[in-house]
Amino acid sequence: MDNNPYYGAERPARMTVSSAPGKVYLFGEHAVVYGEPAIPCAIERRATVGVEPREDGHVRVEANDLTLDGFAVEYRGSTSERPDVDVSSELVDAAMGYIDAAVTQARAAADAPKSGFDISIQSDIPLGAGLGSSAAVVVAIIDAATRALDSPIDKREVADRAYHAEFEVQEGQASRADTFCSTMGGAVRVEGEDCRTIETPRLPIVVGFDGGAGDTGALVSGVRSLKSEYGFAADTVESIGDIVRHGETLLADADPTGAPPTELLAELGELMNFNHGLLSALGVSSRSLDTMVWAAREAEAHGAKLTGAGGGGCIVALDPTPETRTALRFTPGCEDAFRAELSMEGVCVEEP
Ligand code: PMV
């Protein structure tokens, strides 16, 4: 630390902006926590974070998130000692946990433990809805804050530090899938520590959102206890792994350049339907998620499943036609339905 001229002191102020994408799980959420593979895909819904170092060591956060009315929080030391809190809600508290963990990682990466920041967050990814909002925010903060401190780190380190931030906030119940996908962009395959990008054709992804959120920690704990109580629940988790392995061979054999052929979409869709059934058996679906999944299937989507932790939030369907989106928009309990383009761009620097 002695060779760091900024240790314990101010650094030159530099406003830096980074953005990172959200994601959907094509296959494998929950099972990935137990070492099975998963395939998430980054989508063109992003969290954009501006970071400016400040000299007093305070952290001020202003957020304008899709699912929050906007809030501002300022703190020094830990987030539990906030001197200036505009609003307090469970969602804000949850968001602050991730933001604080990301700041801690950025300070450690830059070897600047006392640095303060003004952080502004703008996100069009709904919070806690299975689209990787927290991962995108954590990844973008770590990237922007390390750059703002003139200590940029490479993407692998951003992903690794973001994973550790999530791991800490989620009390050890996190895989590397969300954070690696948000950092790298495109489709990725994650199995334990083994994280790699994979090629996929441009999949016609449609997302349905019920306006709600799930409690990732509680849902992961629920699966963990089912799995330890029943051999057939453990088998279900392994079967999800089999689905992912099957799905990845289909993707590996596909031509990544053109539009995917109908037969491929039909096969992937069937696997997604199966994957949803197994997630449902593990208790992580909900009435509104099931309703949206069935609305998508009835609109002749190739397949549909919940995405992310479940309990509420989003489903993902494959349909190159407008039918699924239209059907979802008329489905009671579906608040929003949109086409989600695959985002090939992971975390990146934006114009301030
Ligand atoms: O709901 P999300 O986007 O936070 O995804 C959670 C995915 C899980 O597999 C349930 C947990 C994890 O960390 O992989």
Side-chain angles (χ1 to χ4, degrees):
M1 278 180 232
D2 288 347
N3 57 7
N4 175 358
Y6 300 117
Y7 183 76
E10 327 76 69
R11 291 191 179 218
R14 195 152 90 89
M15 170 72 159
T16 308
V17 182
S18 295
S19 76
K23 59 102 222 333
V24 292
Y25 273 91
L26 207 49
F27 310 111
E29 55 274 86
H30 282 287
V32 71
V33 175
Y34 310 100
E36 298 293 342
I39 302 182
C41 301
I43 57 168
E44 264 315 333
R45 288 246 162 173
R46 302 182 77 84
T48 304
V49 172
V51 176
E52 193 159 5
R54 51 190 276 173
E55 296 175 3
D56 60 5
H58 286 223
V59 176
R60 182 181 166 81
V61 180
E62 265 187 57
N64 191 352
D65 189 281
L66 189 72
T67 38
L68 291 173
D69 288 337
F71 67 89
V73 174
E74 183 170 329
Y75 66 96
R76 188 190 174 95
S78 99
T79 47
S80 57
E81 305 155 17
R82 293 180 212 157
D84 162 16
V85 182
D86 284 4
V87 279
S88 179
S89 77
E90 271 175 35
L91 274 181
V92 171
D93 285 344
M96 285 308 298
Y98 286 103
I99 292 163
D100 191 41
V103 164
T104 303
Q105 287 294 333
R107 283 172 171 156
D111 197 9
K114 295 188 178 170
S115 40
F117 304 100
D118 280 323
I119 299 176
S120 63
I121 301 172
Q122 196 131 37
S123 171
D124 54 10
I125 313 165
L127 265 186
L131 298 185
S133 155
S134 53
V137 167
V138 166
V139 164
I141 288 179
I142 293 174
D143 191 67
T146 47
R147 287 176 192 282
L149 294 174
D150 279 330
S151 304
I153 54 179
D154 67 24
K155 282 192 175 183
R156 285 263 164 191
E157 187 176 348
V158 172
D160 190 55
R161 289 191 173 277
Y163 161 68
H164 282 102
E166 285 219 329
F167 186 87
E168 181 197 313
V169 179
Q170 291 169 205
E171 294 170 350
Q173 314 215 76
S175 72
R176 292 178 180 268
D178 283 28
T179 38
F180 184 73
C181 184
S182 184
T183 307
M184 297 299 173
V188 307
R189 179 195 191 277
V190 172
E191 182 174 5
E193 306 262 303
D194 179 17
C195 303
R196 47 184 86 174
T197 54
I198 59 172
E199 289 202 314
T200 58
R202 296 254 158 191
L203 297 170
I205 295 169
V206 180
V207 173
F209 173 40
D210 69 5
D215 179 340
T216 302
L219 290 153
V220 172
S221 295
V223 173
R224 190 182 296 280
S225 30
L226 273 181
K227 194 176 157 294
S228 62
E229 194 171 346
Y230 300 113
F232 51 79
D235 293 346
T236 303
V237 167
E238 278 179 31
S239 297
I240 292 177
D242 291 340
I243 290 176
V244 183
R245 282 181 278 273
H246 198 86
E248 69 176 307
T249 57
L250 295 177
L251 292 172
D253 292 343
D255 173 5
T257 53
T262 308
E263 309 78 67
L264 173 65
L265 294 178
E267 281 184 282
L268 290 172
E270 194 163 55
L271 295 178
M272 289 167 73
N273 287 339
F274 218 118
N275 195 161
H276 181 76
L278 297 183
L279 288 167
S280 212
L282 291 171
V284 298
S285 192
S286 69
R287 184 182 286 259
S288 57
L289 293 173
D290 285 343
T291 303
M292 291 191 291
V293 161
W294 277 106
R297 290 175 187 163
E298 281 166 13
E300 299 197 354
H302 290 287
K305 61 182 277 295
L306 68 83
T307 173
C314 292
I315 64 140
V316 53
L318 291 184
D319 187 357
T321 79
E323 299 299 323
T324 296
R325 202 179 57 158
T326 307
L328 284 170
R329 285 194 167 158
F330 287 101
T331 300
C334 176
E335 195 163 282
D336 194 12
F338 53 90
R339 189 165 283 293
E341 296 299 330
L342 194 66
S343 167
M344 297 316 291
E345 185 104 79
V347 65
C348 66
V349 177
E350 305 277 356
E351 285 294 311

